[in-house]
Amino acid sequence: MKKVIIEILPTGEVKMKAQGFKGRSCLAASKPFREALGIPDEAVEPTTDMWRSEEETRERAEVKNGG
C-alpha cells in the first residue's frame, strides 16, 4: 500500500516518510505535502528504494516471490 506518513513531534519538528513507493515516484507523491509544510527538497533523505528503478524493483519482487 502506498502512503505518505507525516509526523509532527512535540518540538514542532516535522518528519515525513513515503512507504510503498519504488524509485523516484515517492518524490512526486510527497511533493504537495512538502510544499504545504515548507519542507525544502534538499531536506529529503533518500532510502535505498528511492534509488531502485521500477524495473529493478519488479525483478526483485519476482525473484523473491518465485516468479
Side-chain angles (χ1 to χ4, degrees), residues 5-65:
I5 301 167
I6 300 170
E7 181 179 5
I8 302 173
L9 303 176
T11 60
E13 180 183 1
V14 178
K15 293 188 175 190
M16 183 181 305
K17 183 174 184 178
Q19 289 183 339
F21 296 91
K22 301 301 176 198
R24 300 180 63 82
S25 64
C26 60
L27 294 175
S30 64
K31 185 172 183 160
F33 301 105
R34 288 185 283 117
E35 288 177 347
L37 294 167
I39 299 172
D41 290 344
E42 40 294 336
V44 173
E45 295 180 22
T47 64
T48 55
D49 284 343
M50 183 175 158
W51 299 114
R52 288 189 185 133
S53 68
E54 295 288 334
E55 186 62 31
E56 179 186 10
T57 301
R58 268 193 297 278
E59 290 172 3
R60 292 178 72 127
E62 289 172 4
V63 169
K64 184 176 180 181
N65 294 324

